[in-house]
Amino acid sequence: MIGELRIERIETFAVALPTLRSFGVSGGAVATVGQPSIRVLVKVSADGVCGWGEATPIPAWTYETAESIVTTIDRYLAPAVLGTACWDLDGVTSAFDRAVNRGFTIGAPLAKAAVDTALHDLLGRALGVPVSTLWGQRRRDELTLGWMVSGQTPSQVAEHVAEGRDAGYGAFKVKIGLHGEREDLAVVAAVREAAGDDAPLWVDANQGYSADAALRVGRELEHLGVTAFEQPLPANDIVGLRRLRDSCPVPVALDESLRHPSDLATFVRLDAVAVAIAKVQRSGGLTLSRRLCALAQDCGVRLMGSGLTDSDLGLAASLHLFGAFGIDTPVDLNGRQFVDSVYADGVRVDGGTAHVPTGPGLGVEVDESVVRTLAVNVLD
């Protein structure tokens, strides 16, 4: 019986996956062709049943590295929850907070997310049902994907938009904040020209601007038909973000500002958020992400969806979450563009449409022999 399943073992595998394209954000590189993309896969076992999760170390985006994720799970999170009932996701979350305190932020969210997601996978597999059935909530079976435009000059942009169109995508996202305002706007204008007037287009500055600069850029983005301006300011600049909420003509979407549901509650109370980005790893896993999404919808805050250039385990987790809450705008789940998930099977993507998996748990079949072959010791 599922009520008797208790966590027996938690294993980490840092795997070197093939990189398909280069990709960067305002903080630095996310993926580089010619160099493997490291992902930390986690296996949770209980009485012959196992589940898998994923952490995506991106030091250019947040403070967790492959080394810190592995040691945090192995030395702090796993010992804190061994013997805990697998169904007690709330208890696991509380144990994680005691092991690695939240402080001002959530406290090692990527590491916590990998274990939490693996537990969801395990529970679904134990019952023979997908995660969405566990939740009793799936409002959408398919989600529209946005193509990440990774070029950073107008000439590169046209080529990358054409590549996305050839792959079946009709919505596009571009990173800005990597250059000056004029150069950033030239890139966005080139995307709009290449994509056409009707294509959904949104931008992400990854905390790259000051409030004054973001307001100037936002006014120009309106003329380019941009639908959302994601995280233009540093995550903790609540005063600046409230100013943009009131003055920017393009809806400002918060990502890095919303680690924990309580962060969203603060922004709601201060009337400083128009759009909330749901992101599984940023929020420490599916348990807290569901709380954040429910709070957003209960407060009338629009939801959008994003990922961390995840491989297929992370992709599947995000699809379950976004499908559960019926996100109907294009989502940024760009892992398939940049990383080859050679260890996995089960996630169906047709061009610019991703299908919420229907197999047990996350719906991803992991080839453990491939995982072990790809595993590297990041602590050497």
Side-chain angles (χ1 to χ4, degrees), residues 212-363:
D212 288 341
L215 193 53
R216 289 192 298 269
V217 169
R219 289 168 180 153
E220 298 301 319
L221 294 177
E222 181 186 28
H223 301 312
L224 293 171
V226 169
T227 57
F229 190 0
E230 187 175 334
Q231 201 66 52
L233 305 187
N236 62 352
D237 186 0
I238 299 176
V239 173
L241 289 165
R242 183 176 182 181
R243 177 185 172 194
L244 292 186
R245 168 73 171 81
D246 293 337
S247 304
C248 185
V250 177
V252 172
L254 301 189
D255 179 1
E256 289 94 330
S257 293
L258 305 180
R259 306 279 179 169
H260 192 271
S262 60
D263 297 330
L264 176 60
T266 297
F267 278 91
V268 168
R269 285 195 297 267
L270 296 176
D271 198 23
V273 56
V275 184
I277 302 290
K279 180 174 281 184
V280 174
Q281 291 197 55
R282 182 207 67 213
S283 294
L286 290 167
T287 299
L288 289 175
S289 292
R290 288 184 69 207
R291 285 172 50 186
L292 187 146
C293 289
L295 176 61
Q297 292 194 333
D298 287 344
C299 293
V301 174
R302 182 158 64 91
L303 276 174
M304 294 178 65
S306 182
L308 272 184
T309 313
D310 318 72
S311 64
D312 275 10
L313 279 167
L315 170 61
S318 295
L319 292 174
H320 281 288
L321 179 71
F322 302 163
F325 286 90
I327 294 179
D328 58 2
T329 55
V331 297
D332 171 22
L333 297 175
N334 59 53
R336 286 283 182 95
Q337 279 184 249
F338 301 102
V339 179
D340 190 351
S341 300
V342 292
Y343 67 85
D345 186 34
V347 182
R348 179 182 162 202
V349 177
D350 299 320
T353 300
H355 302 263
V356 179
T358 56
L362 294 177

Side-chain angles (χ1 to χ4, degrees), residues 10-222:
I10 299 177
E11 300 169 84
T12 55
F13 303 88
V15 296
L17 300 179
T19 302
L20 304 176
R21 297 176 180 83
S22 295
F23 174 42
V25 299
S26 62
V30 171
T32 303
V33 168
Q35 298 180 15
S37 292
I38 302 297
R39 300 293 180 265
V40 179
L41 305 186
V42 174
K43 179 185 178 184
V44 178
S45 302
D47 195 22
V49 185
C50 70
W52 291 84
E54 173 185 0
T56 306
I58 303 180
W61 185 79
T62 191
Y63 59 86
E64 287 177 87
T65 64
E67 297 87 346
S68 74
I69 290 169
V70 168
T71 56
T72 296
I73 294 172
D74 289 349
R75 300 177 186 177
Y76 298 91
L77 301 184
V81 297
L82 290 178
T84 301
C86 293
W87 61 264
D88 189 9
L89 299 170
D90 182 67
V92 167
T93 300
S94 297
F96 283 172
D97 284 349
R98 290 192 296 271
V100 181
N101 199 286
R102 285 205 294 125
F104 187 76
T105 181
I106 199 170
L110 307 189
K112 292 175 179 178
V115 181
D116 175 88
T117 302
L119 279 171
H120 278 82
D121 188 38
L122 186 153
L123 290 169
R125 290 181 178 279
L127 291 170
V129 298
V131 165
S132 53
T133 301
L134 282 178
W135 295 340
Q137 183 178 350
R138 186 168 70 206
R139 300 174 187 169
R140 294 182 66 87
D141 295 317
E142 300 176 352
L143 292 115
T144 301
L145 301 180
W147 181 263
M148 177 59 71
V149 180
S150 55
Q152 282 301 309
T153 68
S155 59
Q156 290 175 338
V157 159
E159 177 183 338
H160 292 180
V161 170
E163 184 182 7
R165 285 208 174 279
D166 289 344
Y169 288 69
F172 300 89
K173 179 178 179 179
V174 61
K175 297 287 186 177
I176 60 175
L178 284 76
H179 310 291
E181 296 171 37
R182 184 174 299 178
E183 293 84 356
D184 284 342
L185 288 167
V187 167
V188 179
V191 175
R192 173 52 74 200
E193 182 178 0
D197 292 338
D198 296 331
L201 170 62
W202 73 110
V203 303
D204 184 1
N206 288 117
Q207 310 182 74
Y209 290 127
S210 66
D212 288 341
L215 193 53
R216 289 192 298 269
V217 169
R219 289 168 180 153
E220 298 301 319
L221 294 177
E222 181 186 28

